[in-house]
Amino acid sequence: MPSATHSHRPTTKVVHKSFKSRKSTKGSLRDQAKGKVPNERRKTPHQQIKMSKLDRRNQAKQRQIAKHKEHQREASIFMGRDGAPRIVAVIPLCSDGDVIAAIQSLNGSLDIDCDASASTFRVQVDRFKQKLQYVPTTRDLSICMDAARVADYIVFVLSAETEVDALGELIIRSIENQGMSTLFTVVQNLDKVEPAKARPDVVKSLASFMTHFHPGQDKIYSLDARQECSSLMRSLCSTMPKGVNWRDQRSWMLVDDIQWPSTETESTVVTGVVRGKGLKANRLVQLGEWGTFQVDKITAAPISTKKRKDDSMVVDDTEEEKILETPDEDQDDLAELAPEEVLMDDVEDGDGIGESKAPAAQKGVLLDDHHYFSEEELERYEVPKKLPKGTSAYQANWVLDDVSDSESEFDEEMQDIQGEAVSARPEDGLEGLAGREPTEAAMSEYPQSEAFAELDDDEDAQQLAAYRNRRRDEAEDDREFPDEIELHPHVLARERLAKYRGLKSLRTSPWNKEEDRPYQPEEWSRLLQISDYQSSKNRVLREALVGGVAPGTRVHVHLRGIPADLQKSHNPSQPVTLFSLLRHENKKTVVNFDITHKDDYEKSIKSKEELIIQCGPRRFVINPLFSSSGSSENDVHKYSRFLHPGDAAIASFMGPVTWGSVPALFFKRVAPEQAEDGTTTLPLQLVATGTARAPTTSRVIAKRAILTGHPYHIHKKIVTVRYMFFNREDVEWFKALPLWTRRGRSGYIKETLGTHGYFKANFDGVINPQDSVGVSLYKRMWPRSAAPFTGPLLDEEAISRQNDAMDEDL
């Protein structure tokens, strides 16, 4: 037997690496692309043709050239000797922030000798051949928001020694939600942090704080480092601002100077550089918070350098007045409503526009678009007879009422003498299944099976109090019926709920708007009617693209009708902005906003509560109505009494039109409270944010009221209900309304019992004794008018004006 030999593994053998291909098999490519969404656009048949390498290079070069031309076109407004200055808003977020020192540090990094002031001023940056216009602000919410609204660049000033307080966070959130352009963040007093090795940690902490609000703000510039200030100045002079979408759709300017008139016949002249779209004399302008005014004329205001013997200075060239644009017959007027003699009867909304008529006397509640039991009954209603199949009308006259054919083999094939198929179930309101209309009393299968004994008044009142106390505890724990109301036994339901009606389906049932005319506001018929919002908006935005004074031109805008007392309240250190309104943006209509409750505000917002809204360049005091969002066939939307934390809804009120998706901020004045850390909360809170949506007067906001009753006696599908009504007349009035239960059963009122509001109802199945019977009623809510807001947002004297008149009007 040969001996076993042992050999070691060879160490000189070279194992080649496997071939790593970028283009593997189809299976490996599918595994590699799992979960990835293709980023390519859909190609046309011409683009799907395989191009050569030279063609692909040529296509990429063409895209690069087009992008460069677009960049040059956008940057051309800042180029040249007469170019527009880049507006820089410097906003302090901490209590010890020094805006003037921050501006001096930035200018000193480029050896710019300029005295910083508390008002708006310009600086010439010779190194980058650009001009900067600083807008220094104080820790005032209104001033900060006005400055950030027109700024190309926003510089937040932080402190290395003091944290950002509640006011600073409110300023950040407000500026962020109203829309802002390019943002930079700087820190002061970093060299005072000891020891020096702790300074990087401070910068990291501040960067983490800013990325919580703006994820792209990972760079914090130190004002104590000359090199970082120089880098920031380079970014301010070379970076193109991102812009704000809603602002770029309009013409706007930062007012440099205001010339007040000496007499009442003269116009007020505001001076500034036109930005955004072209400024037109036919359109109205919004001047700060002072209001909306008409333009008298627009003249040129170039800046020329005139050398004197002592020095050179920049002055306005006022040798001759060059008129750039004057208004014509197409100029917008200041009227918010249509003339009283004009009634818009040609509008196809059917929303009750026109003359109001007194409601006619009816015998029953309105269900959908019909008043049941209100026609003149020419003949007495007769209960249908059960007849064998094939019985004619002549044969039916010979069948007596007391004859029962219960032993007949045709019992299961009975039908109505009128030839209509009788549905086995009425409408199912919970599931939205439509059945037959239960508007009339049906014949009972057990006419003698229920004995009804009417209680006396004292015993009935005691049982009612015990029943409501028990249910009130359940409502606090489980808010099953948020719209439920309780009627007092001595109050007539048909009088208290006179404005209410019934609907078989909230989404599909027609809403009879003729019944709303007696209750509509006086100015409702004079509101602006917009039949097609999308086409009207596109037409208005296209109109703003052409004409007007070109952007980048320094002009004098002559305004008429400005009150003289505004000169006394004007503070030159506060920035003043001018925005040109689009066509019809001064006319009043029913405006709608998407509103989302802020998570920072823990309380619910009550509908019709006084709020302050900022939408674009305007602020209003509103009492909005909240309603459910979405679309429906009948354009009826349920009214919401509260906007709870985390919820979203539609806020509606009567105000001027706003074209486009403009962001909106909702503020609420609150009473200051003492926090756990000893600080005092602000008297103003940002409670919600939103976006402007299509305005319409045909949108119906329906407030729901639920009347509930208790099943007193149950016999199969027939139930005696009490505590819903308290007299016989109310039962007869609301007899046409469909009934429903908490567990999904549906039924209808069959007949009244006694004089205390008891009635007999028929349901589609046997109900549970612990169940409750309900009926839904709806009435239209009318939006309230908005009022212009003036003054600072944070005004502690206005806290006491709260919602004393916000009680619900049932």
Side-chain angles (χ1 to χ4, degrees), residues 582-646:
L582 300 176
R583 186 185 290 270
H584 305 307
E585 277 197 330
N586 189 53
K587 297 181 180 179
K588 185 178 290 188
T589 185
V590 178
V591 292
N592 302 310
F593 287 85
D594 283 337
I595 182 172
T596 303
H597 195 289
K598 293 287 290 183
D599 297 334
D600 303 335
Y601 187 67
E602 300 178 354
K603 299 180 180 179
S604 299
I605 307 174
K606 191 175 182 180
S607 188
K608 297 182 289 186
E609 190 173 17
E610 183 178 291
L611 300 177
I612 301 174
I613 181 177
Q614 173 175 309
C615 180
R618 298 179 287 193
R619 299 189 183 107
F620 300 98
V621 179
I622 62 173
N623 300 92
L625 299 181
F626 300 142
S627 58
S628 60
S629 58
S631 59
S632 58
E633 298 180 10
N634 54 4
D635 204 10
V636 177
H637 305 269
K638 181 183 172 299
Y639 167 79
S640 301
R641 288 177 170 86
F642 288 92
L643 183 66
H644 299 288

Side-chain angles (χ1 to χ4, degrees), residues 493-511:
R494 61 185 180 275
E495 294 181 359
R496 184 184 178 188
L497 305 176
K499 298 180 182 180
Y500 285 79
R501 69 185 70 185
L503 291 178
K504 297 176 183 176
S505 175
L506 181 61
R507 294 182 176 271
T508 60
S509 295
W511 186 277

Side-chain angles (χ1 to χ4, degrees), residues 25 186 271 320 360 466 489 555 599 652-653 720 754 807:
T25 62
V186 298
T271 306
E320 59 181 25
V555 297
D599 297 334
S652 304
F653 58 92
T720 302
D807 297 337

Side-chain angles (χ1 to χ4, degrees), residues 339-352:
E340 295 183 0
E341 62 271 9
V342 177
L343 293 178
M344 301 183 181
D345 295 334
D346 56 340
V347 180
E348 298 179 357
D349 295 346
D351 56 349

Side-chain angles (χ1 to χ4, degrees), residues 754-769:
T755 59
H756 288 175
Y758 289 60
F759 61 88
K760 189 183 297 185
N762 195 357
F763 287 87
D764 59 352
V766 180
I767 70 173
N768 193 290

Side-chain angles (χ1 to χ4, degrees), residues 411-423:
D411 252 358
E412 298 178 357
E413 299 179 355
M414 295 297 176
Q415 69 170 12
D416 195 351
I417 189 174
Q418 300 175 355
E420 299 178 356
V422 179
S423 177

Side-chain angles (χ1 to χ4, degrees), residues 148-165:
R149 193 188 304 158
V150 295
D152 296 315
Y153 307 94
I154 299 175
V155 179
F156 282 154
V157 181
L158 299 175
S159 175
E161 299 177 332
T162 308
E163 295 182 354
V164 180
D165 54 1

